Amino acid sequence: MAAETRRVIWRHPRGIYETVEVSGTGVFGVPYSYRETVYTANRDTRGVAHKEIQPAPPNGGRPAGGPRTKKNH
């Protein structure tokens, strides 16, 4: 596959995201082009776009131990 070229079509005034056009040549020599909107490294100053993801609790939040059994009350 040949190299892709990427060029910025539009950039948000505050630099949150930009629309990029990607073009190149496919596997069988067919040219292609598409546009995508991506967040930039200089994301939203409010912190919405780059909220840190907390790691998941171990074992899916369930207590460790043997198999779960139905409790008889």
Side-chain angles (χ1 to χ4, degrees):
M1 184 188 272
E4 288 184 342
T5 58
R6 299 173 68 88
R7 69 181 182 111
V8 176
I9 301 293
W10 185 80
R11 182 172 286 129
H12 188 275
R14 289 190 293 169
I16 300 170
Y17 58 88
E18 57 193 19
T19 300
V20 179
E21 182 179 68
V22 181
S23 60
T25 305
V27 177
F28 298 108
V30 179
Y32 65 89
S33 176
Y34 63 91
R35 292 180 179 178
E36 61 184 6
T37 301
V38 295
Y39 284 117
T40 62
N42 183 21
R43 293 183 180 173
D44 189 6
T45 56
R46 295 173 296 158
V48 175
H50 64 280
K51 180 179 177 181
E52 291 187 19
I53 298 172
Q54 298 296 321
N59 198 25
R62 295 186 303 271
R68 288 189 264 169
T69 58
K70 187 181 259 185
K71 293 182 180 179
N72 295 326
H73 291 277

